[in-house]
Structure formats: structure tokens, C-alpha cells
Amino acid sequence: MTRTLPQPAREAIEIVTVLQALADPVRLEIVRELAQETEPRSCALEEYDLDITAATLSHHWRVLREAGLTTTTVEGRRRWIVLRRDDLQARFPGLLDAVLA
Amino acid sequence: MTRTLPQPAREAIEIVTVLQALADPVRLEIVRELAQETEPRSCALEEYDLDITAATLSHHWRVLREAGLTTTTVEGRRRWIVLRRDDLQARFPGLLDAVLA
């Protein structure tokens, strides 16, 4: 059984909150990696080349999800993350491309 | 006599710093207003419809300037602010348009 963690609806995604979520070097790097994926990616620390703790990564996942940048799906003990590319493009056309260029 | 306050060169403008500067509702509003101007604008508080103190506005001007978003020119006791539109467009094409849309 899978469930999706709470996240803002597309129309509730706010530009200031999105910018705050992106305005961190680690989160920007995470978003950059997610942008290269087409499928949900594991949220496990070992999947990423980041010099941070699991607790810190977990915090970053929450910030990204609550800002509306990502969707987190829980499947048993695993969590999967995917960038909300369509929602972001609909809400702020060109923003993600400009930030990640 | 006029002088320009220190600011990063175009190639030294960093995306994370720009995002941090923009990730504040007041600064975003200021940048939105500056984006509508073609000439430098006074930095005086009374020029803006903002419910903040002069000291806070002064802080925001510094953050924007140090991030590379604006140029501040000092002319006697007056200061003028202009958005570095060309530098930003060269460095991060489409970013400003996407953020301010």
C-alpha cells in the first residue's frame, strides 16, 4: 500500500516559499538531480552524494515537499520522491529551467 | 559627485545568493517595483508602499546589492537603485521574468 504525504495543491504553491526552498545549496543540488529523473527516486541518503546526515536530508525533503516542489510517496518503509515539474511549470512557467540552467 | 557601492561582478553573481535575496516577500515586492522602472529609483522609504522601517529597508537594499540584483549609486545624501537586469539576464536567462511573472 502506498500513500502520498501532504503537499500543497498546485494553485496553493507560492513563489516566495518555492524560492526559499530553492535558496539552499544542498536543496538546489537535490532538485537538480531530481530534475534529471523521469521516475520517482528513493529518498535514502546513500542514493545521493551529499555530505550531510540522514536527519538533515529528511529535513530537506520536508521543506521541498511543503513548498510544493516535490511529491513524497510512502511505500512500507521506503519513500520515493519526484519533482512536481508539471505543477511548477504551470504555476511559474520557466522558473525551474532558469534556476537549474 | 556620484559613486557606486560595492557589488559583485556579473560573473560572480551566484544563483543561491540570488534566490536567497529574492526569497523574502518584501524584497520580492521591491524587485517587482524596480523591474517596472527604466531609470534608477530613489531608495527612500517614502517612495515605497511598504510597512517597514527605514533601517529594515536599508538592510533589504544591502542584501539585494550584495547578491548582485541591484546597483546602488550614492549622490550626496541621496541613493539611487537600479535593477541589474542585463547582468541577471546574461547570468540566469529567464530567471527574473519567471520569478516576477
Side-chain angles (χ1 to χ4, degrees):
Chain A
M1 202 188 89
T2 67
R3 66 189 173 94
T4 299
L5 295 189
Q7 65 181 35
R10 174 186 288 189
E11 59 274 19
I13 301 176
E14 296 295 341
I15 185 69
V16 170
T17 316
V18 166
L19 292 171
Q20 285 168 348
L22 292 171
D24 174 277
V26 172
R27 286 196 295 270
L28 193 58
E29 174 59 30
I30 293 173
V31 168
R32 206 178 289 282
E33 291 199 28
L34 292 177
Q36 291 165 11
E37 307 284 335
T38 51
E39 297 292 315
R41 189 163 164 182
S42 165
C43 77
L45 180 59
E46 60 266 26
E47 298 280 327
Y48 302 85
D49 185 22
L50 298 170
D51 190 22
I52 59 175
T53 65
T56 299
L57 181 57
S58 179
H59 164 75
H60 288 317
W61 290 133
R62 186 167 59 79
V63 172
L64 291 172
R65 173 174 57 80
E66 290 180 352
L69 280 157
T70 55
T71 292
T72 303
T73 309
V74 181
E75 202 179 52
R77 301 182 68 166
R78 304 192 69 173
R79 290 180 174 210
W80 302 91
I81 316 281
V82 68
L83 197 60
R84 295 175 64 179
R85 198 189 297 266
D86 291 352
D87 288 336
L88 292 164
Q89 180 61 22
R91 195 86 173 92
F92 313 112
L95 178 65
L96 214 53
D97 288 342
V99 168
L100 301 180
Chain B
M1 202 188 87
T2 66
R3 64 187 175 96
T4 299
L5 295 189
Q7 65 180 37
R10 176 187 287 189
E11 58 275 18
I13 302 177
E14 296 295 340
I15 184 70
V16 169
T17 316
V18 166
L19 292 171
Q20 286 168 349
L22 292 171
D24 173 277
V26 171
R27 285 196 296 270
L28 193 58
E29 174 58 30
I30 292 173
V31 169
R32 206 178 290 281
E33 291 198 27
L34 292 177
Q36 290 164 10
E37 307 283 335
T38 51
E39 298 291 316
R41 188 164 163 180
S42 166
C43 76
L45 181 60
E46 60 266 27
E47 298 280 327
Y48 301 85
D49 184 22
L50 298 170
D51 190 22
I52 60 176
T53 65
T56 299
L57 181 57
S58 179
H59 165 75
H60 288 317
W61 291 132
R62 186 168 59 79
V63 171
L64 292 171
R65 172 174 57 80
E66 291 181 350
L69 280 157
T70 54
T71 292
T72 302
T73 308
V74 180
E75 202 180 52
R77 301 181 69 166
R78 304 191 70 174
R79 292 181 173 210
W80 302 91
I81 317 281
V82 67
L83 197 60
R84 295 175 65 180
R85 198 188 298 265
D86 290 352
D87 289 335
L88 292 164
Q89 180 62 21
R91 195 86 173 94
F92 312 113
L95 178 66
L96 214 52
D97 287 342
V99 168
L100 301 181

